[in-house]
Amino acid sequence: MSWFESFILGLVQGLTEFLPISSSAHLRLTAAFAGWEDPGAAFTAITQIGTETAVLIYFRKDIMRIISAWFRSLTDKSMRSDHDAQMGWLVIVGSIPIGVLGITLKDQIEGPFRDLRLIATTLIVMGIVLGIADRLAARDEIGGRHRAIRERKTLQQLNVKDGLIFGICQAMALIPGVSRSGATISGGLLMGYTREAAARYSFLLAIPAVLASGVFELKDAGEGHVSWGPTIFATIIAFAVGYAVIAWFMKFITTKSFMPFVIYRIILGIVLFILVGTDVLSPHAGESGD
């Protein structure tokens, strides 16, 4: 991998990690469209450490408060009813599904799941799901002639069942094209949470899963055509760009809908199907030097 490739892929990772459009799919598609080799699951996982570092810094006050309360709750029973202490447990519970499935499906994640036809399918299907979830949220927030405005849930109302459902949604993002934020935010909206609450918990929930995945994949870094230098460079680029995207996205969702992302996902999926169906792109483009 050249330094230019690593710069572009790091840029793509930072731009797409927190948006509901799937960073893993975009890394895969960028390589395929440019005629580069697929950077692979290890490269994707490691560069995500950069974007998750951006999350750690952006939400540092929330994270430190949650960690502090959680540790105190281990010895102080009175702290166990504290919301921040409970959030610590809920993040742990929500991380279980992706941890189990990530290890179980490792071979599929690195192989069959990277087929461009599957990516096109997940882009469209999850785009439709996100659109439905967003529409339901808008109806509750705006109301109508025959509908009263319905108050949506905040993170103060998050419980173990909902946390586990969030976690299952996050685990779906093991398939490129689903999108970690897209799946968890859609799940949250369908469960009645506000856009801001669903997005915030989505980002917090991703921290242990992404960092663990990145560390786990470190052993495979530097193998094949992807060397350590370009991987680290891409990770730094992803961090810088990702931080800016988080700040923008958290402001965006307070007043805007997810429909632009829904339309983008569906159009990209259709275009990808057309390119593969007309043999412009092989469904395995970039893999094994294809």
Side-chain angles (χ1 to χ4, degrees):
M1 174 182 289
S2 69
W3 291 98
F4 176 72
E5 287 179 49
S6 68
F7 172 78
I8 295 299
L9 293 174
L11 184 63
V12 170
Q13 169 63 29
L15 286 171
T16 60
E17 172 66 17
F18 304 113
L19 304 181
I21 56 177
S22 180
S23 62
S24 58
H26 279 75
L27 287 175
R28 176 78 178 87
L29 293 175
T30 299
F33 288 146
W36 302 335
E37 287 190 54
D38 183 357
F43 177 87
T44 300
I46 294 170
T47 55
Q48 284 176 337
I49 293 178
T51 45
E52 286 312 305
T53 301
V55 173
L56 290 173
I57 295 175
Y58 187 85
F59 291 107
R60 60 189 180 280
K61 293 181 180 179
D62 290 357
I63 293 169
M64 291 305 298
R65 194 176 63 247
I66 290 170
I67 292 175
S68 175
W70 182 79
F71 271 111
R72 282 184 288 155
S73 73
L74 296 178
T75 55
D76 184 352
K77 292 183 178 180
S78 65
M79 285 293 299
R80 294 175 186 174
S81 59
D82 181 84
H83 173 68
D84 290 325
Q86 293 175 345
M87 276 295 294
W89 286 113
L90 290 169
V91 168
I92 292 172
V93 169
S95 299
I96 293 173
I98 197 169
V100 173
L101 292 176
I103 294 173
T104 305
L105 301 175
K106 185 176 186 301
D107 291 340
Q108 286 75 21
I109 295 168
E110 296 177 349
F113 285 0
R114 301 183 75 78
D115 187 303
L116 295 182
R117 292 165 297 190
L118 178 59
I119 291 176
T121 301
T122 54
L123 282 170
I124 295 172
V125 172
M126 286 307 301
I128 294 172
V129 172
L130 177 61
I132 293 172
D134 184 69
R135 180 60 180 164
L136 291 175
R139 289 180 61 181
D140 287 348
E141 294 165 356
I142 299 172
R145 180 179 299 179
H146 302 294
R147 296 189 310 274
I149 294 175
R150 179 182 174 186
E151 186 174 347
R152 301 208 120 222
K153 294 188 285 186
T154 67
L155 288 184
Q156 294 288 336
Q157 297 162 278
L158 185 65
N159 53 39
V160 174
K161 183 190 75 173
D162 289 356
L164 190 58
I165 293 174
F166 266 112
I168 293 171
C169 292
Q170 177 180 238
M172 294 170 60
L174 291 169
I175 304 174
V178 170
S179 170
R180 185 190 313 276
S181 63
T184 50
I185 289 173
S186 294
L189 294 178
L190 291 173
M191 286 189 288
Y193 286 87
T194 65
R195 290 185 178 90
E196 193 274 339
R200 184 172 291 267
Y201 185 61
S202 170
F203 291 159
L204 294 176
L205 186 61
I207 293 171
V210 171
L211 293 181
S213 175
V215 171
F216 180 76
E217 294 288 357
L218 284 174
K219 65 181 183 352
D220 295 326
E223 295 182 358
H225 76 292
V226 183
S227 58
W228 266 108
T231 300
I232 294 174
F233 181 53
T235 302
I236 294 172
I237 296 297
F239 160 74
V241 177
Y243 187 88
V245 172
I246 294 174
W248 173 82
F249 187 63
M250 292 305 293
K251 292 179 181 178
F252 176 87
I253 60 175
T254 59
T255 58
K256 308 292 184 181
S257 81
F258 290 112
M259 289 311 296
F261 303 112
V262 171
I263 295 170
Y264 172 78
R265 289 181 63 107
I266 293 174
I267 291 175
L268 180 59
I270 292 172
V271 169
L272 190 54
F273 265 128
I274 292 172
L275 293 175
V276 172
T278 56
D279 294 326
V280 174
L281 275 180
S282 162
H284 306 289
E287 294 182 5
S288 303
D290 187 1

